[in-house]
Amino acid sequence: MSISFFAYHGQPEQRQIVIDHISHLASLGFRSNTTNSSDHAIDFLEALADGSPDPAVAFQKTGFPYPLLQICESIFQGLPTEQAAAFAVELVQTAQVDVDVSDVTSHFLEWMIEDALSVHGRSGLQSSAKDKGGVLTKLAQMPCDVSKRAKRRGLPLSTPDEKFAHDAIQLLLGGGNAGIAVDWIAGLASNPAAKYEHFARKLTEMMGTA
């Protein structure tokens, strides 16, 4: 049985609190005064968590699971300040209290990996990941042969690309790697800034249709 994650834990009042808070920070360019009166930039997760760097607090405020928060943060950091602020406001406004957002992360990663496969090919993706370290090195080393067990059982066969996409998503969902994947794929583009903009539009669209 899958776990449901309802945006804002199903509470309209909490949704409005988050929208008002993020809209206010956006009007300030996502900058805030610290206790020593100096000015500092605020990232998206910190903004959602009322200044705390703890993702558990951001989840408490929004109901967004941690991998989804990671994707949001990576996109936010990859955008210019003005566009990042607009993305943050639109995203929290798009999420509705009666919507289960538990599958948004996997759907976004699936779309992102399949789109990258269509551009760079499986060998290109694995080659680009091999020197990145951590989970991306593991991804580069993943075998992509179709399961012999599936052949013996007469099950529908996945293509090597489909198997790669499936295994990559499972790997990236574990251990807090969703944001790393976003930065990796954006970095492969000839125009990373435009890719982050594309990601922002797609994630917001998926949040709205969840």
Side-chain angles (χ1 to χ4, degrees):
M1 180 181 295
S2 62
I3 300 174
S4 296
F5 292 90
F6 286 94
Y8 310 109
H9 306 287
Q11 301 174 19
E13 298 83 1
Q14 181 61 27
R15 175 177 180 269
Q16 194 58 52
I17 288 171
V18 172
I19 290 173
D20 291 346
H21 178 60
I22 296 299
S23 297
H24 173 67
L25 288 175
S27 71
L28 301 175
F30 274 84
R31 305 197 68 83
S32 178
N33 290 327
T34 62
T35 53
N36 63 6
S37 298
S38 63
D39 194 50
H40 82 292
I42 304 173
D43 62 30
F44 189 43
L45 195 151
E46 182 185 1
L48 292 173
D50 289 340
S52 170
D54 186 354
V57 178
F59 169 72
Q60 182 182 19
K61 300 289 185 181
T62 64
F64 297 176
Y66 182 45
L68 177 57
L69 289 169
Q70 288 184 306
I71 290 173
C72 294
E73 180 64 30
S74 290
I75 294 173
F76 180 87
Q77 294 292 345
L79 293 169
T81 300
E82 186 173 331
Q83 293 178 340
F87 161 68
V89 172
E90 186 174 8
L91 188 76
V92 297
Q93 288 178 336
T94 300
Q96 301 298 316
V97 296
D98 58 348
V99 170
D100 180 359
V101 296
S102 59
D103 291 332
V104 172
T105 304
S106 58
H107 290 164
F108 179 84
L109 289 176
E110 179 180 14
W111 166 81
M112 184 180 73
I113 294 295
E114 289 180 352
D115 181 68
L117 280 169
S118 71
V119 175
H120 304 285
R122 177 165 42 87
S123 61
L125 288 182
Q126 291 193 286
S127 176
S128 72
K130 66 181 180 180
D131 296 324
K132 298 295 185 181
V135 69
L136 294 181
T137 297
K138 292 181 181 180
L139 186 149
Q141 297 168 348
M142 287 193 315
C144 297
D145 293 335
V146 175
S147 169
K148 292 181 179 179
R149 182 183 302 176
K151 292 180 181 178
R152 288 197 301 268
R153 293 183 178 181
L155 299 175
L157 297 180
S158 298
T159 67
D161 281 1
E162 288 172 341
K163 184 178 187 301
F164 173 80
H166 174 271
D167 292 349
I169 291 165
Q170 299 308 307
L171 183 64
L172 295 170
L173 284 173
N177 298 304
I180 292 172
V182 169
D183 294 330
W184 165 52
I185 297 298
L188 297 177
S190 58
N191 186 346
K195 182 63 73 173
Y196 280 113
E197 291 176 24
H198 190 193
F199 287 167
R201 291 193 299 271
K202 191 65 178 182
L203 184 62
T204 303
E205 174 189 319
M206 289 185 171
M207 188 72 83
T209 58

